[in-house]
Every structure is written in C-alpha cells, then in structure tokens.
Amino acid sequence: MSIGDQAKALAQGLVQGAVAKVVALAPDSWVPGGRPDPLVHHRHGHVGKPISRIDGPLKVTGTAPFAAEFPVDRMAYAALAYSTIAKGHIVSLNTATAEQAPGVLLVMTHRNAPRLNPPPLFLTQAKAAGGDDVPVMQDDRICWNGQPIALILAETQEQADHVATLVQATYEPEEALTSFADARARGSSPSQFMGQVMHDAVGDADKAFAAAPYKVDAIYCTPRHNHNPIELHAVTLFWEGDTLRLHDAQQMVAHSAWTLAQVFGLEEEQVVITSPFVGGGFGSKSLWQHQILAAAASRMAGRPVRLTLSREGVYRVVGGRSLTEQRVALSAEADGRLTALIHSGVTAKTPHNGLPEPFILASRTLYGATNICLDVQHVELDMLSNTFMRAPGEAVGTFALEVAMDELAERLGMDPIELRLRNEPEKDPLSGLPFSGRHIAEAWRSGAERFGWKARNPVPRQRREGEWLIGMGCATGTYPYYRMPGGAARITLTEEGRASVDIAAHEMGMGTSTAHTQVLAERLSLPMESITFNYGDSTLPGLIMAGGSQQTAAIGASIIAAHRALVKELLKLAGNDSPLAGLDPEEVASRDAGLCKADEPGRFESYASILERAQQQSVSVTAEPPQPLETMHWSMHSHAAMFCEVRVNAVTGEPRINRFLGSFDCGRILNPKTAASQFRGGIIMGLGMALMEETQFDERKGRAMNPSLSEYHVPVHMDVPEIEVMWTDIPDPHTPMGARGIGEIGITGTAAAVANAIYNATGKRVRDLPITLDKLL
Ligand code: MOS
C-alpha cells in the first residue's frame, strides 16, 4: 500500500469508527431491526413450513437451464491453454498447427487479443467482482502457474479441447516465490479483511498467559483447498451490437455485469447476465478470467461462445482457500474461566487479490476471555489468487480454536461442553455490543441430549469394537449475520391477485426461490401459487451477492422495504371510499389477499377490489432497504454445537465417521426442509476438510498437482454417515423474518469435532489437516 492509500484507509477507518460509535449508542428504534419484523411472530403462515423446492420438478426432469445449457445458434466452443511456469514472460508461442487444425475458428493469445482494462478486484469497489486484478491476456507476462495463455475457438468442444493441447509456448522464467516457508523467512505483513485490520487486543494476553495455572499452546495447520462445485464454471455468451449477453454460473450477477462493463469499457446497461440455476458456488462463482476471455473471443470471431472450464481448468483459473498456520494459546483458572485467548498466525495470498484468510474471526466473539490477542499476518506468493470459500476465516479458524479448547478441557479435567459454557460471554467480548440473539447454551443442551454425549468416556482409547477404536468429540461452530448494502426489490401486484417480486439474487441450490416465495406469500397473505419470484438477472433491481450467508437477510430486507412501499401505494389507491380510508401504513396488516386494520380485521379490502376501484390493472413499486446499521448496534452471530462419533482402524489408521449431529442456533428457520439440506451440505464439506481435502501444491513450481476429483478427494456417499440436524428456531428479534443466514455455518466447527473425536478414539492429537490415515498410525 502506498502512503496515500494508507492515509485514505486510515481516514476511512476513522469515519467508520465514528459512525460505528454513534450507531452503537443510538436507541434501538433508530436502527434497522429495531422494531421486530411482524413476520417474526407469525406462526400459521407459509414461513417455517417444510415446503419442497418450487424448482424441484424442473431439476429432476433436467429442464432447469444451467449456464452451459442455453441453446444459441451458430455457437462456437472454447477451450483454454495454461502456462506451466509461475512467473516470467512468454518468449515464443507456436500457434501455427493449432490455427490450421480442422474446425478452428480463432486462436486468441496476448498477440491478438483486444485491449481490455484489468478487472476491478472484488471488495475494492461496491460493484467489483474480479477474483484477481491481473490484466487478462494483455501482454507476455505470467503471474501464476496455470494462467491462461491461449483461447481456442472451434466448431465443436472436442475440436477446441484437442487443439488447446497443440499450442506450444516457451518461457523466460523469473525467480518465483512459491514456497510458504521461504516467503515467511522474508517476513509477513498485517492483514485486513473487508476494511478491518485483523488485529484485536484486550488486556495483556501474554502476561495473563504466563501467569496462569492451566494452559495449552500449539500450532495448527490447514492446507490449500480448491473449489469443486459439481457444476463446472461455465458461460454461454454473445454480443448483440455493443451489448454483451451472458448466461453465466454466478453468485453475483449485478457485480459481475458491472465489472465486465469496466473491462470492456462499456456502460453498465450494456452487459446483461442471467443465471437462473447454479450448481453450487461456495464463494467461487464470481468473475474470473474465463468469462472475460470468452467475451473477447466472441467479439473477435463474431460468434456466440460457450466456455466450460474443465475440472482442471477450475483448478487453474478459479481461486480456492489459502493455507494457514495458526497458533492458539489458551490459559485458564482451575474453574475453567479463560484468562488469555491468543490466536495468531500466517496465511498466504497473492499481490493480485485482497483476501488473507481471516482465521481469527470466530475467536473475536466466541469466548469471554479476560485477555484477548488476535492477529492475522500474511505473505504474498506467486500463485493463483485465493478467494472466498465457504466460511472464509471461520472454517479453518474454528478448527484451531476448537481443538485447542478440547485440549484445554482435558488439561483441566473438565467436560469440553462445560468449559465452553463457563466462558459464555454476556456481551461481545471485543466490541461490548449486546448480542441480538445468542442461544448457544440451548443448542449445546439439546444437542448433547440427542447425541447421547453422556455416554462418552473422557479418557481416550477406551472404546474398541474389533479392530476399530471409537471416540466422540464436539466443537462450536459459528458464523456472523451479515447484510451488505445494495439491496432493492420490485413488487408488482395485479388485479387477478397475483404478485411478483423482481430482485437480482441467486439460486445456487440453497432453496432461495422457495424460501422467499414463502416469505412474500406470507407478507401479502396470498397463496404460494400466486407468487412469482424473479431472480438471477442483472437487469433486475438490487446488488445482492449470494455470499457471506447474507442473501436471505439482504432479500428479506429488500422485500420488507418494497412491501412497505406497496402498502403505502395501495392505501393511496384505496382512497376515501374504502374501509381502509384514513389508515396509516403502520396501522395496516395483510390478510386473505388484501389489507385490513391490524387491530380491527373487519376493516378489510382485497387487493383486487382496491385495484378495480382505482381502475388499475396492476401496481408496481421498487424500494431499497436502509443501510445495514444493525450490525453496528448488535453483535449478530449464529452458533452451532457439533457432535461427532468416529471409528479409527487400529491396524490401518483409517478414520471413518460413525455419526454426526449439528445443533444450530440460527434464528428462525424459514423452511426446515431446505435448511436441513443446507446444514448437512455444510457439514459434509466440513467432513471433507477434516479427513481428505487438500490441494497438492508443488512448492517448487507453484502448480496444483491434483486438479481432478480422482486426486483431490471430497466426501462421497460412502464417506458420509447419517447426519442429524436440529435447531433452536428462536427468532432473532432484529433481523428480517427473525432469520440469520445458514449457508456457511455447517462447515464451521465440523473439522474440530472430528479431530476431537479422533483424539478421544485414539489418544492421537492431530493438529494439521486433513487427518489422513498416515497421521494416525
Ligand atoms: Mo460463501 S464464501 O459464497 O460460501
């Protein structure tokens, strides 16, 4: 960072700090969420019902169109060739054979690619979506091993794939920094995450630690992880004059459209992205080089283009989670009260991206230690930019912290659940803010009972069935409530009593379209069948990312704002001849496809009647929710109590999960059916992190060496036992619908619960992931 940038960041920080202080002290009623959403207390409507996915039939009949399935006339198919060095220059590129191959339409390299602006990097501007800000095929420079060096366009996919292998490059390599240890030896830098410096201190943790009677102090390591959504990253696109239209696999359509417009020097309206169905994103489906390259090639060739990354391509072009080396040092009095919580360490990023894996996030709010010191340092390597991956920070941070808590419990001779409950803070340990809703003790109590925690023998290696050692472990999971600025929604109500909501949000398989159809149906008192939820289109209102587990809150708040505007408009249209005449929007509630006076339901008029009398076929309003100040006023977090039973083969060291239970406190659950699936999905990803996931990164070459699902292992059905999930279902009084997002929390705490169970089974404390059988022999 230059001095100017530092000064700007500092000034920005001061302004944010001042705003945060004012908002923290403001009366509740001034803050969004200060008055509970009326839906929080509705108990007889659509919200909370286990409704099956409204897009289920489309999916099981194979008629839900994904990005690589949109039919377009005269389609050309693209494939990429990738660099094999980490840093340096391309000296020669032999494309002659490729150009003459049958079916080839275009070989695009830095020599003939159109001039493009570098993509604005995610989080550096409100609408930026770039995974990195490396210029895309603009010169002979190589920044990572696997960077695209050529794009082949051909009449068929098979031709393109084959011809991509015919491109020959020679390089002049420069010395690349690809070893974490070498980089660390040169020193590390303090880290920032979403504008916050990743350093916190309360009291004097080192001093308290030194003086304490009980302590643990260890290093925990987590490896690189690659993104492996089942749907490969893919785009089908074409130019209509100067308008670029894309069907893309996206978790941020509006951000990506804006960012593409910057790259191609277009107006924002000249890029239109639709993304109606997405086969998993987990943080990876933003804007990477492949969409930019496909759009450039399409323009050059004058043909629509489809570019589907191969599985290897996803590993070369789309960033994953970076590695971490974390120290957790905990100290306690004999009663288990934490006197010091120290969580620090180092991660790696690149010079071209902005995400040092923020592994201390969970440690900021989980325990009321009297002295706290948290710190994230990073080094920069010449590698593919890392990015967001399910619960960035919490996923790997809770592994370190929650294994350390298990180690401390053993040192104290205390039940690990009891240790956690004894350190339950009254208010946020760092900010001092009150919690908006924190029922973790209830999650522990009900979870422990259901799981049969009492049966656990705290002494390791006591339970054996044949060759198998059996153990139980637990850990806390946690993820914050976020709501990012930029929400907006349009609601249209017709005289036939149908309503539609338009919002640039996403359905990546989570159940978003189902849950929010429920929400709008209930808010309007209409049947589900009368609601259409339109999403996944950058031309719709709102700048809403399906990430940070914030989409539910962002959509919810947008729908609340639009609904409020709609009620106001309807009252205006109702006029003086209506039973609703003279009522203020605040006095009105909805029932039976109409509006009534909240405390006098007999004063009622249906939407149809209001519109008919006003001689209007429909009414349409658009509105934006207030800025998300609630997170500066309350400490807003979800929690989970995770329980695992494992068996480890005493002969081979093979670990297997016997059973798993997640007991969640995430506010009100909007749809138990889709929520259970979200929770289980997160836990399964956590099981993968615990036992198998690891990018084999060649530190000499800076290259991912296992870029396929046969070599990079994720859990398959045989690895996943019955996973039970349960929840407190206690509404958060300060969030839309009383809900907090549930996308990411399932992965948090899971790897620690597995590691702790493995310790209980075997007496082996494994502190580096994944826990493969060689570490248990
Ligand atoms: Mo989020 S990092 O998109 O699971």
Side-chain angles (χ1 to χ4, degrees), residues 402-648:
E402 290 298 290
V403 172
M405 285 296 280
D406 202 65
E407 300 193 45
L408 181 64
E410 190 187 33
R411 195 70 45 95
L412 287 158
M414 187 176 286
D415 181 82
I417 298 177
E418 182 58 28
L419 174 62
R420 290 178 170 92
L421 294 178
R422 285 205 188 168
N423 287 289
E424 212 11 46
E426 298 265 299
K427 54 190 169 82
D428 189 284
L430 292 177
S431 67
L433 294 176
F435 293 113
S436 64
R438 179 164 168 139
H439 306 282
I440 185 172
E442 172 55 21
W444 276 117
R445 194 199 57 71
S446 51
E449 191 181 301
R450 176 88 67 92
F451 192 73
W453 180 252
K454 261 205 230 122
R456 170 182 178 264
N457 187 334
V459 182
R461 229 183 154 83
Q462 298 301 307
R463 213 175 130 198
R464 189 171 176 139
E465 285 171 19
E467 278 183 8
W468 296 91
L469 298 164
I470 296 170
M472 286 188 199
C474 68
T476 305
T478 185
Y479 197 80
Y481 161 92
Y482 287 121
R483 180 167 72 84
M484 291 162 198
R490 176 171 56 228
I491 300 179
T492 305
L493 189 63
T494 69
E495 61 181 352
E496 295 87 40
R498 292 197 57 84
S500 60
V501 60
D502 301 325
I503 187 158
H506 311 81
E507 174 62 270
M508 304 193 291
M510 315 85 100
T512 300
S513 54
T514 308
H516 287 288
T517 299
Q518 291 171 254
V519 166
L520 191 64
E522 183 157 341
R523 233 180 254 297
L524 290 171
S525 290
L526 287 174
M528 289 276 290
E529 303 73 53
S530 303
I531 304 289
T532 310
F533 180 66
N534 299 313
Y535 62 91
D537 181 333
S538 64
T539 62
L540 300 179
L543 179 75
I544 293 186
M545 163 172 42
S549 298
Q550 67 99 41
Q551 194 177 243
T552 293
I555 297 175
S558 302
I559 291 182
I560 289 173
H563 178 248
R564 198 165 280 160
L566 178 71
V567 168
K568 210 166 149 191
E569 192 57 34
L570 284 168
L571 288 177
K572 219 189 289 170
L573 290 175
N576 292 330
D577 301 329
S578 166
L580 304 168
L583 291 180
D584 196 74
E586 305 300 321
E587 299 172 275
V588 167
S590 66
R591 79 163 170 88
D592 303 316
L595 296 177
C596 67
K597 187 165 190 279
D599 55 9
E600 202 185 323
R603 276 182 73 181
F604 169 85
E605 184 168 17
S606 71
Y607 302 132
S609 155
I610 295 173
L611 287 175
E612 194 189 310
R613 192 147 29 75
Q615 298 188 339
Q616 260 187 243
Q617 286 174 346
S618 67
V619 54
S620 187
V621 295
T622 304
E624 294 173 10
Q627 289 294 310
L629 300 179
E630 63 270 30
T631 53
M632 295 179 177
H633 190 73
W634 293 283
S635 177
M636 305 178 82
H637 299 267
S638 285
H639 296 93
M642 301 294 201
F643 297 86
C644 180
E645 185 183 275
V646 295
R647 62 185 191 280
V648 178

Side-chain angles (χ1 to χ4, degrees), residues 227 251 281-284 388-392 479 508 546-549 743-744:
H227 273 294
Q251 53 193 102
F282 315 111
S284 74
F388 289 73
M389 184 165 175
R390 244 186 187 186
Y479 197 80
M508 304 193 291
S549 298
E744 287 165 274

Side-chain angles (χ1 to χ4, degrees), residues 3 71 138 144 211 227 254 280 339 343 378 382 400 411 416 511 513 539 588 630 682 695 742 744 748 764:
I3 301 285
Q138 295 297 292
W144 78 86
H227 273 294
T339 55
H343 190 172
H378 69 267
D382 297 307
R411 195 70 45 95
S513 54
T539 62
V588 167
E630 63 270 30
T695 304
I742 57 171
E744 287 165 274
T748 72
K764 287 205 166 71

Side-chain angles (χ1 to χ4, degrees), residues 304-340:
V305 167
R306 174 170 302 159
L307 175 50
T308 306
L309 289 180
S310 62
R311 187 59 69 182
E312 176 182 355
V314 177
Y315 281 69
R316 302 285 175 238
V317 176
V318 177
R321 195 197 303 279
S322 190
L323 75 172
T324 70
E325 189 181 301
Q326 307 173 50
R327 174 192 177 213
V328 180
L330 304 172
S331 66
E333 300 293 346
D335 64 359
R337 296 287 196 95
L338 286 171
T339 55

